[in-house]
Amino acid sequence: MEILAFFEKILNALPGACSQGLIWGVMAIGLFITYRILDVADLTVDGSFATGGAVCVMFLLNGHNVWFSIFMAFIAGLVAGAVTGLLHTFMGIPAILAGILTQLGLYSVNLKIMGKANQAVNVNKTDLLVSLRWVRDFAINNPIIMVSVIIAVLIAILYWFFGTEMGCGIRATGANLNMSRAQGINTNFNKVIGIMLSNALVAVSGALLSQYQGFADVNMGRGAIVIGLAAVIIGEAIFGKIFKNFALRLLSVALGAVIYYIVVQTVISMGLDANLLKLLSACIVAIFLAVPHWKKQIAAKKVGKINSNPNGGAENA
Amino acid sequence: MLEVKGVFKTFNPGTINEKRALNGINLTLNEGDFVTVIGGNGAGKSTLLNMVAGVYPVDCGTIKIDGIDVTRLAEYKRAKYLGRVFQDPMNGTAANMQIDENLALANRRGTFRSLKPGITKKERESYKELLKTLDLGLETRLTSKVGLLSGGQRQALTLLMATLKKPKLLLLDEHTAALDPKTAAKVLEITEDIVSKNNLTTIMITHNMTDAIKTGNRLIMMNNGRIVFDVSGEEKKNLTTADLLQKFKMSTGHELDNDRMFLSE
Ligand SMILES: Nc1ncnc2c1ncn2[C@@H]1O[C@H](COP(=O)(O)OP(=O)(O)OP(=O)(O)O)[C@@H](O)[C@H]1O
Ligand SMILES: [Mg+2]
């Protein structure tokens, strides 16, 4: 009986977990652009996620249309990304540090945007795009359907963009800086564009979450980078072997976020102290990040035994 | 085609690691010149090419390519005029992008990268034809990731990329040094083929004296950041490695010392 009750609990939590997972999936796709395509670890996202939420909620409270409010969150994300990008390229600050600086600054900016630590929007008074109220509705306004559609459109746009001359230039910048410059690619410009685009998507994700939960909070982005990384890593670990196409890789990252949230809900249903959640996430991501490193070391040892010529093995990327 | 005048370069000036890498370089290349460069370890050969390519700024002096002063031009802007192949095969291509995508990147060197398609169907067809000329079987692997290719295949591909849009100057920095002798010979053959077909002005650094003598129409020898020997034409053709070693000793007072050079003989 107890097992049945447990499963019922999980099943009940499933729509909510899927919705939240999909919303964070938008964030994870943004993170994928910096972390995987540009090969930059961008910590701005913890700040720009909350900025997206704050900007969206404030525009909604001022009576603006929900699409316009999300668009303004997108713009705010672009600006936040531009700051980090310029700190990194124009001022020569290492990318991680540049992201931390922007993130810290954004905390104050977010407080100023909202005027206080959090602001609520009422789903009854404001026309929202997504809300946890509707997770059980069989209609287009169900957040699962709505956010899925948004993700599909985003993936289509990104697929197109990274196939253009500019998009290919950004991919090349992340792949090989030397080669890119030798082929006349403005690597600094591309880094800034990539970081901007990434943070814009992160801000849109924050805008969606603030609507979904009915409020924006200065702390809503805390640890966002770890959740995003977890989504990227889980998505790649599970779908990496079958999803090779770029669009499918983006999809796998979004699905990674959904799986992450389902796992989190399950773990909470099993009675884990919710306060330990961030510690657990950090540990999981740390282990997943270590695995490729360990694999390489083991492989290197094997190669070393077979063949002691250092030029013998071709590196496969 | 290339005019280097009074170029000096010191790395880490004012520190204990201070190193004067270029010590007043003057070099003029005529259109169609194919110059080979030899010299000991740390002679400044790579630094010279890096200065021309704009990897680091010069301390003083000027660099002109085809009459255009590029001394203060950013590396990526200068790339418009230059084709480059590096010593490390990993360096010249993007490993996690496809062969055709790499070529398409190179095909847009010197143009603004807009929101037009990064590669077109027509391009793919032309790349297939181009890869056939390498005779390495790459024409059937257009959509393979470059990371899967061997070092020699990658260098050959980098050569194609460097010359896809005809450069005013081709810079080769020991581009065969990381390859086994047979592959190195093949890549050198491809190099000579591409250079003569397109009549490219070329600078090729090599540690192989035999290659340096038999390739190109001019040879320069560097030591301590200076050009110590410069021959061309008939005189160059009749050189032997013994002559070169002798010349080196005469102009510098010590034996030529390059750890890779003797391995190659
Ligand atoms: N980025 C750099 N920073 C500091 N010192 C450098 C740098 N690049 C080159 N040098 C130094 O400048 C000198 C000339 O180096 P360079 O690479 O041009 O030599 P080279 O002639 O290409 O030698 P090799 O045959 O070993 O490739 C060397 O002493 C080297 O240590
Ligand atoms: Mg060198």
Side-chain angles (χ1 to χ4, degrees):
Chain A
M1 239 32 263
E2 217 165 81
I3 293 209
L4 262 180
F6 172 66
F7 273 113
E8 200 185 322
K9 219 162 131 192
I10 291 182
L11 223 56
N12 258 326
L14 209 53
C18 285
S19 309
Q20 281 208 44
L22 284 166
I23 290 173
W24 281 92
V26 175
M27 189 272 172
I29 289 174
L31 201 69
F32 183 88
I33 295 174
T34 45
Y35 183 64
R36 276 292 180 242
I37 299 180
L38 269 185
D39 198 20
V40 164
D42 176 25
L43 299 187
T44 317
V45 295
D46 282 24
S48 55
F49 188 78
T51 305
V55 167
C56 179
V57 165
M58 292 319 285
F59 271 98
L60 285 171
L61 290 178
N62 280 305
H64 289 280
N65 168 282
V66 65
W67 288 105
F68 179 76
S69 305
I70 293 175
F71 177 71
M72 291 317 284
F74 180 88
I75 300 288
L78 283 180
V79 175
V83 172
T84 302
L86 291 174
L87 284 174
H88 175 46
T89 56
F90 182 65
M91 293 170 69
I93 299 168
I96 293 204
L97 203 50
I100 292 175
L101 291 175
T102 312
Q103 179 200 120
L104 185 71
L106 280 177
Y107 190 84
S108 300
V109 172
N110 295 340
L111 275 172
K112 277 287 167 202
I113 290 173
M114 292 192 288
K116 53 182 186 173
N118 55 60
Q119 284 280 6
V121 274
N122 190 327
V123 63
N124 297 322
K125 290 186 197 150
T126 322
D127 212 3
L128 299 181
L129 199 61
V130 286
S131 168
L132 54 81
R133 286 277 181 88
W134 310 324
V135 286
R136 278 164 223 289
D137 292 5
F138 280 103
I140 177 78
N141 73 353
N142 182 313
I144 298 178
I145 298 171
M146 185 55 97
V147 183
S148 295
V149 171
I150 292 175
I151 286 180
V153 172
L154 279 179
I155 289 179
I157 294 173
L158 290 174
Y159 184 76
W160 162 78
F161 176 72
F162 283 103
T164 64
E165 293 180 340
M166 188 185 280
C168 286
I170 293 177
R171 284 162 60 206
T173 300
N176 186 339
L177 280 176
N178 271 323
M179 171 265 194
S180 298
R181 289 197 200 104
Q183 296 302 345
I185 292 170
N186 187 345
T187 49
N188 281 343
F189 173 76
N190 280 338
K191 277 188 188 171
V192 175
I193 295 288
I195 295 173
M196 283 172 74
L197 186 58
S198 164
N199 280 287
L201 293 182
V202 170
V204 167
S205 172
L208 292 174
L209 187 69
S210 65
Q211 293 177 46
Y212 177 81
Q213 63 188 13
F215 64 91
D217 184 288
V218 273
N219 288 317
M220 68 191 274
R222 178 160 293 173
I225 178 111
V226 177
I227 299 176
L229 280 179
V232 172
I233 293 166
I234 293 171
E236 287 181 342
I238 294 179
F239 304 105
K241 283 267 183 306
I242 41 172
F243 285 5
K244 298 276 188 215
N245 174 284
F246 183 70
L248 291 177
R249 283 177 72 196
L250 292 177
L251 179 66
S252 71
V253 166
L255 293 178
V258 174
I259 293 167
Y260 173 84
Y261 265 90
I262 291 175
V263 171
V264 164
Q265 283 297 344
T266 312
V267 173
I268 291 178
S269 307
M270 283 161 67
L272 179 95
D273 180 355
N275 290 332
L276 291 179
L277 213 56
K278 290 213 155 120
L279 179 64
L280 187 72
S281 308
C283 291
I284 293 173
V285 170
I287 290 171
F288 270 99
L289 288 179
V291 166
H293 175 70
W294 288 335
K295 266 191 190 159
K296 229 186 248 170
Q297 277 190 331
I298 293 170
K301 260 183 205 151
K302 271 187 199 153
V303 171
K305 268 181 205 154
I306 298 166
N307 162 12
S308 51
N309 170 14
N311 299 326
E315 175 133 334
N316 289 353
Chain B
M1 191 46 81
L2 173 71
E3 209 184 319
V4 178
K5 255 196 208 151
V7 167
F8 285 79
K9 179 69 187 178
T10 303
F11 287 110
N12 310 311
T15 71
I16 47 166
N17 291 323
E18 180 170 302
K19 173 72 205 174
R20 175 165 281 189
L22 292 184
N23 208 345
I25 296 278
N26 294 300
L27 177 66
T28 305
L29 261 63
N30 299 317
E31 180 149 15
D33 265 355
F34 189 159
V35 184
T36 55
V37 184
I38 58 170
N41 289 128
K45 307 181 294 290
S46 299
T47 307
L48 174 61
L49 288 207
N50 285 337
M51 292 288 130
V52 173
V55 179
Y56 319 107
V58 300
D59 292 345
C60 64
T62 57
I63 298 169
K64 282 186 187 165
I65 299 172
D66 201 15
I68 306 156
D69 189 342
V70 298
T71 317
R72 308 250 162 264
L73 213 56
E75 183 182 358
Y76 79 90
K77 285 188 184 156
R78 246 183 254 197
K80 189 173 177 179
Y81 312 116
L82 301 171
R84 289 159 70 193
V85 184
F86 312 91
Q87 178 174 346
D88 182 351
M90 302 297 149
N91 238 337
T93 45
N96 54 16
M97 293 175 78
Q98 299 171 7
I99 294 181
D100 54 356
E101 289 175 330
N102 271 274
L103 285 163
L105 284 171
N107 201 22
R108 286 160 180 73
R109 183 162 49 77
T111 64
F112 177 73
R113 287 165 208 261
S114 65
L115 293 178
K116 282 187 295 210
I119 182 167
T120 63
K121 228 184 211 149
K122 225 168 101 198
E123 274 180 271
R124 281 208 181 90
E125 286 309 312
S126 68
Y127 296 156
K128 206 178 259 179
E129 291 307 310
L130 203 62
L131 287 166
K132 263 186 203 153
T133 63
L134 292 181
D135 197 20
L136 294 171
L138 293 181
E139 61 275 12
T140 58
R141 300 175 64 185
L142 229 52
T143 56
S144 295
K145 296 266 150 74
V146 169
L148 301 171
L149 305 186
S150 69
Q153 288 172 328
R154 282 180 83 156
Q155 287 305 68
L157 179 63
T158 311
L159 261 170
L160 272 194
M161 289 168 62
T163 53
L164 195 54
K165 277 218 126 163
K166 189 180 169 185
K168 291 189 186 296
L169 187 63
L170 178 63
L171 304 175
L172 309 169
D173 188 353
E174 301 204 41
H175 68 305
T176 60
L179 310 173
D180 66 78
K182 208 174 137 223
T183 317
K186 170 84 187 163
V187 169
L188 187 61
E189 187 190 310
I190 294 171
T191 308
E192 294 193 77
D193 200 46
I194 290 178
V195 168
S196 70
K197 237 188 243 158
N198 299 291
N199 190 29
L200 297 171
T201 312
T202 306
I203 307 182
M204 179 176 94
I205 301 177
T206 176
H207 61 270
N208 186 320
M209 294 222 235
T210 328
D211 287 348
I213 292 169
K214 76 171 206 295
T215 318
N217 65 330
R218 184 171 166 194
L219 181 151
I220 61 180
M221 189 188 273
M222 287 184 69
N223 186 51
N224 263 333
R226 286 200 184 86
I227 294 173
V228 293
F229 183 52
D230 184 343
V231 276
S232 50
E234 276 309 302
E235 196 187 348
K236 173 187 178 266
K237 272 192 204 139
N238 299 327
L239 279 175
T240 63
T241 42
D243 291 341
L244 276 183
L245 290 172
Q246 164 103 45
K247 286 270 189 243
F248 188 87
K249 199 166 176 188
M250 260 169 54
S251 54
T252 65
H254 60 87
E255 303 279 345
L256 178 58
D257 154 40
N258 185 318
D259 49 15
R260 290 190 295 277
M261 196 159 288
F262 296 107
L263 290 174
S264 64
E265 290 304 307

